[in-house]
């Protein structure tokens, strides 16, 4: 199968090779050295401020979203949530579950967040902001520098879910003023799902230290304490953490974070150029590099997903709910090439010839 989803994605041969090995015991100095190296790379690639830290959670990225909401906010906060799709709505749901006072800034699917719209919430007593930097359900990329300026002006704690945008789109944690960044192993890190990473800037660390969170597994104070020695509080997904280490080094060998972002951008542009002659419309006003959101004019999106999967051996990303038949998504992350784009485009052209598109 050729995988154009946005996670899990295609992995390199070197990452796959580690996945075929026996999983080692992890309470060792050797594993601790790998974990400390993983943290070093994550801080470098996210361009985190000095004195920042990173922790590695064995859970999906939603688990880390929940951990951040639990550890960094309380009933004393008033949080603004950017809700432009399924993943923005997930932050809304987490605030509801944990009784965090919040207001959702609602955006239509595919619409970008403008400065005028954001500043409708200026000087209204908000203490924090939650945003999915790449709203993966619609492939909209939000402007973290603009949002960061707004948060600085309003003295707000700034949380960036960069799960799909980390190493796919330009992001500088220091320059935009983000206090927390979240990402996952199955996106541009191109490893199996199961590890989510939280990078905490100085204010993030301060919030965690002061929190009175009631949890065992999602206690970030405990995670930070253990990461000081390159360990985790509980048994982690050891094999994936070893694969992450190889992938982080692979990115370094290929030129570093900026080179990886440029590669993903080129992969996205190549696909968008090639699909332009087919009966599709692009959905996003401000598209992310990592994924293209497509509206078929002459067919149902989910039918196209099924045909490609069952008859051509190609996975694209379907949507659910009201977007199921309207939008499909094509990812540009992982071990994909321009030649792979050609295979997908040719399959779509064949569907068109068959009268199915």
């Amino acid at each position: 199968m050729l995988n154009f989803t946005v996670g899990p994605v295609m992995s390199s041969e070197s990452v796959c090779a580690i996945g075929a090995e026996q999983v080692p015991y992890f309470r060792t100095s050797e594993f601790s050295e790998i974990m400390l190296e993983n943290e070093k790379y994550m801080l470098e690639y996210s361009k985190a401020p000095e004195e920042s830290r990173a922790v590695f959670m064995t859970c999906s990225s939603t688990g880390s979203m929940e951990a951040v909401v639990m550890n960094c906010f309380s009933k004393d906060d008033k949080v603004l949530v950017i809700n432009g799709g399924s993943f923005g709505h997930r932050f809304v749901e987490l605030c509801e579950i944990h009784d965090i006072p919040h207001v959702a800034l609602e955006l239509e699917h595919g619409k970008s967040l403008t400065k005028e719209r954001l500043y409708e919430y200026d000087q209204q007593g908000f203490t924090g902001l939650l945003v999915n930097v790449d709203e993966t359900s619609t492939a909209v990329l939000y402007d973290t520098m603009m949002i960061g300026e707004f948060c600085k002006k309003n003295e707000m704690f700034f949380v960036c879910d960069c799960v799909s945008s980390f190493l796919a789109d330009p992001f500088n944690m220091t320059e935009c003023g983000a206090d927390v960044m979240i990402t996952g192993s199955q996106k541009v890190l191109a490893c199996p799902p199961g590890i989510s990473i939280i990078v905490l800037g100085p204010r993030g660390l301060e919030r965690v230290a002061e929190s009175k969170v009631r949890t065992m597994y999602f206690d970030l104070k405990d995670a930070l304490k253990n990461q000081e020695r390159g360990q985790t509080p509980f048994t982690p997904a050891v094999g994936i953490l070893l694969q992450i280490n190889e992938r982080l080094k692979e990115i370094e060998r290929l030129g570093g974070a900026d080179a990886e972002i440029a590669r993903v951008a080129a992969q996205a542009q190549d696909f968008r150029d090639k699909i332009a002659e087919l009966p599709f419309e692009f959905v996003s006003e401000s598209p992310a590099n990592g994924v293209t959101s497509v509206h078929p004019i002459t067919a149902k999106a989910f039918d196209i997903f099924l045909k490609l999967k069952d008859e051509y051996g190609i996975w694209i990303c379907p949507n659910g709910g009201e977007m199921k038949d309207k939008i499909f998504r094509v990812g540009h992350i992982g071990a994909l090439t321009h030649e792979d784009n050609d295979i997908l485009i040719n399959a779509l052209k064949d569907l068109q010839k068959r009268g199915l598109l």
Side-chain angles (χ1 to χ4, degrees):
M1 295 290 288
L2 186 56
N3 188 351
F4 285 93
T5 70
V6 287
V9 301
M10 307 278 280
S11 299
S12 67
E13 291 183 4
S14 60
V15 169
C16 287
I18 292 172
E21 296 175 358
Q22 291 285 354
V23 177
Y25 183 61
F26 65 101
R27 299 297 190 196
T28 64
S29 60
E30 291 82 2
F31 184 75
S32 291
E33 288 176 7
I34 288 170
M35 287 293 286
L36 292 170
E37 189 172 49
N38 285 349
E39 181 178 17
K40 175 184 74 72
Y41 277 117
M42 286 302 303
L43 296 178
E44 176 187 343
Y45 291 170
S46 61
K47 299 178 171 62
E50 291 185 12
E51 309 300 326
S52 296
R53 297 283 312 283
V55 292
F56 298 81
M57 311 292 288
T58 296
C59 58
S60 72
S61 297
T62 300
S64 284
M65 291 168 68
E66 183 159 27
V68 168
V69 169
M70 294 171 68
N71 284 264
C72 295
F73 298 103
S74 72
K75 294 179 181 179
D76 296 328
D77 282 293
K78 180 183 177 184
V79 178
L80 182 63
V81 183
I82 310 302
N83 181 10
S86 302
F87 296 96
H89 183 65
R90 192 164 298 178
F91 264 139
V92 172
E93 292 178 302
L94 287 168
C95 288
E96 290 172 349
I97 289 168
H98 295 287
D99 296 323
I100 308 298
H102 64 282
V103 173
L105 192 166
E106 305 279 354
L107 295 169
E108 292 182 33
H109 292 157
K111 299 297 183 182
S112 61
L113 175 64
T114 64
K115 184 173 183 178
E116 291 74 21
R117 187 72 201 282
L118 179 62
Y119 274 78
E120 291 175 11
Y121 298 84
D122 189 29
Q123 301 298 320
Q124 293 190 23
F126 288 102
T127 60
L129 185 144
L130 297 167
V131 63
N132 307 87
V133 174
D134 171 3
E135 175 47 71
T136 322
S137 65
T138 60
V140 173
L141 183 71
Y142 299 124
D143 184 343
T144 53
M145 293 300 294
M146 177 188 73
I147 299 172
E149 290 174 3
F150 175 81
C151 288
K152 183 178 180 180
K153 181 176 185 290
N154 286 273
E155 299 182 349
M156 296 163 69
F157 188 83
F158 184 20
V159 175
C160 288
D161 167 356
C162 293
V163 174
S164 294
S165 62
F166 177 63
L167 296 176
D169 299 287
F171 177 76
N172 188 313
M173 191 171 174
T174 300
E175 288 186 359
C176 76
D179 297 300
V180 177
M181 188 210 75
I182 305 166
T183 194
S185 57
Q186 79 278 22
K187 302 293 186 176
V188 179
L189 290 178
C191 292
I195 292 291
S196 184
I197 304 155
I198 304 172
V199 178
L200 296 145
R203 291 209 311 165
L205 294 170
E206 183 179 335
R207 282 233 174 183
V208 168
E210 294 174 352
S211 72
K212 298 178 175 62
V213 63
R214 294 175 60 84
T215 180
M216 176 181 285
Y217 194 76
F218 289 124
D219 185 349
L220 295 185
K221 282 193 289 289
D222 199 11
L224 287 162
K225 181 180 179 181
N226 278 271
Q227 179 58 29
E228 288 178 4
R229 60 190 180 97
Q231 289 289 331
T232 56
F234 312 105
T235 304
V238 176
I240 300 173
L241 287 163
L242 296 176
Q243 289 174 296
I244 287 173
N245 185 256
E246 168 57 27
R247 173 61 174 147
L248 291 169
K249 291 178 177 178
E250 180 179 76
I251 291 168
E252 182 181 52
R253 291 194 297 270
L254 295 172
D258 292 341
E260 181 64 17
I261 291 166
R263 189 200 66 77
V264 174
Q267 182 72 8
Q269 191 59 54
D270 179 73
F271 170 78
R272 291 165 188 166
D273 290 344
K274 289 172 178 174
I275 202 175
E277 61 189 85
L278 290 166
F280 297 121
E281 294 176 341
F282 295 130
V283 175
S284 173
E285 287 185 340
S286 53
N289 287 334
V291 58
T292 299
S293 190
V294 178
H295 168 59
I297 300 170
T298 57
K300 291 183 177 180
F302 196 75
D303 289 345
I304 295 172
F305 160 72
L306 291 176
K307 290 290 183 184
L308 290 173
K309 175 177 70 74
D310 296 337
E311 300 180 21
Y312 296 87
I314 298 172
W315 283 313
I316 58 171
C317 236
N319 264 316
E322 64 183 54
M323 290 188 282
K324 178 180 177 180
D325 290 327
K326 298 177 182 178
I327 297 172
F328 67 80
R329 295 164 292 154
V330 175
H332 313 298
I333 57 180
L336 290 169
T337 66
H338 291 3
E339 289 73 24
D340 294 325
N341 281 343
D342 290 336
I343 294 171
L344 174 55
I345 294 298
N346 288 335
L348 291 169
K349 287 180 177 178
D350 192 56
L351 283 176
Q352 188 180 39
K353 289 178 183 177
R354 295 167 57 193
L356 299 173
L357 183 61

